[in-house]
Amino acid sequence: MGSGKEKKQQQQHHQKKKRFPLQPKKVVNNKRKKEKVKKTRSSSNNGESIENAKSKIKVKDTKLNDIVRFPTAAQQLEFFHEQYQSANRIQLSSLELDSFTETCMLELNPDHAQISSALADHMKVAFGPSWKESLCEKEIDEKIDPGQPALLVISLSALRSLDLLRELRPLTSECRAAKLFSKHMKIEEQASALKNRVNIASGTPSRIKKLIDVEALGLSRLAVIVLDMKTDTKGYSLLTLPQVRDEFWDLYRNYFHQRVLEGALRICLYDEIPVNIKKEKSNQDE
């Protein structure tokens, strides 16, 4: 009897030995398979991430290079919409978008280089046959009240405002332009100067708004606002330098936006602006 039990125990022990080593092999194989799958997935993901990174770098490069010197009305409109909505953290309503079209933007003629007196040439074209009457004459009549410019140039700084006034000299020999910035100029002196006929004015957002607030500067005759897009040495412009940008949008919302929507006022973005050319090219290719 004892010998029979011992045989059974030996057989069972022998069977366990045979089964036991097979199990860890399967586990090891499964681990290896999983590791292989993970490696292949990670390698593919790494490949995708590298490609995505490259594509992102390409997009950034193209954005930096997409600078247009003479943007079309459509390009100006798209850029201005983006800046307006981003800075004010709002979305233009469908009614505003229907009114705020390409006709609200003044497209410049690329035949006139934006140097020397080029701004004067552009404004002659913008005002059409009546440019001399609107921009040059100095006599006050019943139709024109004092302190009511037809053209207003808004810049980042006083120095840049003076640069643009130099470009407008061919139009300001008879009727002097108004300098509307705070550097070396008191607001009382500017208010006094605005008691005469003014066809062209150039200045910075903060001082322009103050003069409108005290009713020294009128807008009833205003037909065009030129927004200077020239960047300073640090790369800032009228719409990107934080404090000046906020002052401009405060001015724009309070005094210009409604007139633009009504079609009484046009906007001109002067100098270079970034434009999404890549998007347009891809659409043409398709």
Side-chain angles (χ1 to χ4, degrees):
M1 293 291 288
S3 62
K5 286 181 180 180
E6 288 176 359
K7 286 181 180 178
K8 285 183 179 180
Q9 287 176 356
Q10 287 176 359
Q11 287 176 356
Q12 288 174 359
H13 183 69
H14 185 66
Q15 287 175 356
K16 283 180 182 178
K17 277 187 175 181
K18 283 184 177 179
R19 288 176 193 167
F20 185 74
L22 293 174
Q23 291 177 354
K25 284 184 181 178
K26 289 182 180 178
V27 173
V28 171
N29 288 337
N30 286 336
K31 283 184 178 178
R32 286 178 180 174
K33 285 180 182 178
K34 286 179 181 177
E35 286 174 0
K36 284 182 181 179
V37 171
K38 284 181 181 178
K39 283 180 181 179
T40 53
R41 285 180 182 173
S42 63
S43 62
S44 62
N45 289 335
N46 288 335
E48 289 176 2
S49 61
I50 291 167
E51 288 177 3
N52 290 334
K54 286 180 179 178
S55 63
K56 285 179 182 177
I57 291 168
K58 286 179 182 177
V59 170
K60 285 182 180 178
D61 289 340
T62 53
K63 282 184 179 178
L64 289 172
N65 294 327
D66 291 344
I67 303 297
V68 176
R69 192 171 181 81
F70 293 96
T72 64
Q75 290 170 335
Q76 289 187 64
L77 183 68
E78 182 182 5
F79 176 76
F80 194 77
H81 277 177
E82 289 175 357
Q83 294 295 314
Y84 177 76
Q85 293 179 134
S86 173
N88 296 285
R89 297 179 181 178
I90 59 171
Q91 289 290 325
L92 288 166
S93 67
S94 57
L95 185 62
E96 287 177 312
L97 288 171
D98 290 339
S99 302
F100 205 159
T101 61
E102 292 177 21
T103 56
C104 300
M105 312 305 293
L106 178 60
E107 188 170 324
L108 300 179
N109 186 350
D111 293 336
H112 300 300
Q114 290 182 2
I115 54 173
S116 185
S117 62
L119 184 56
D121 295 332
H122 286 301
M123 292 305 106
K124 287 178 184 179
V125 176
F127 280 83
S130 64
W131 67 267
K132 196 167 186 178
E133 179 185 347
S134 300
L135 301 174
C136 300
E137 291 186 6
K138 65 178 181 178
E139 299 299 327
I140 295 178
D141 55 30
E142 295 177 356
K143 296 179 182 179
I144 299 174
D145 293 325
Q148 304 275 350
L151 170 63
L152 179 61
V153 182
I154 307 176
S155 303
L156 176 69
S157 65
L159 290 174
R160 184 58 186 161
S161 295
L162 291 172
D163 287 341
L164 292 174
L165 283 176
R166 291 187 190 97
E167 291 191 31
L168 292 166
R169 273 181 183 168
L171 305 176
T172 59
S173 57
E174 292 184 19
C175 184
R176 294 180 64 183
K179 300 173 184 178
L180 310 180
F181 43 80
S182 58
K183 190 172 184 178
H184 306 309
M185 300 191 76
K186 295 180 180 180
I187 194 167
E188 293 81 11
E189 295 173 352
Q190 291 167 330
S192 179
L194 289 170
K195 290 179 181 178
N196 300 311
R197 173 167 174 167
V198 175
N199 298 320
I200 298 170
S202 178
T204 53
S206 178
R207 181 52 60 93
I208 290 170
K209 186 175 184 298
K210 285 179 182 177
L211 288 164
I212 298 172
D213 289 341
V214 299
E215 298 182 353
L217 179 66
L219 303 177
S220 61
R221 187 168 162 249
L222 189 62
V224 174
I225 53 172
V226 173
L227 306 183
D228 179 32
M229 295 290 102
K230 184 79 172 178
T231 56
D232 62 12
T233 54
K234 294 182 179 179
Y236 288 110
S237 73
L238 174 67
L239 301 183
T240 57
L241 186 62
Q243 183 179 349
V244 177
R245 175 196 63 199
D246 295 341
E247 291 168 349
F248 167 75
W249 288 118
D250 185 33
L251 168 66
Y252 177 82
R253 285 193 310 270
N254 283 285
Y255 293 111
F256 299 146
H257 186 61
Q258 191 57 40
R259 287 174 56 81
V260 170
L261 296 181
E262 291 170 356
L265 181 62
R266 288 186 294 168
I267 300 169
C268 173
L269 303 183
Y270 191 63
D271 214 285
E272 300 174 338
I273 65 168
V275 174
N276 192 356
I277 295 175
K278 185 181 177 184
K279 184 178 179 182
E280 293 178 1
K281 285 182 179 178
S282 63
N283 290 337
Q284 288 174 0
D285 292 339
E286 289 173 6

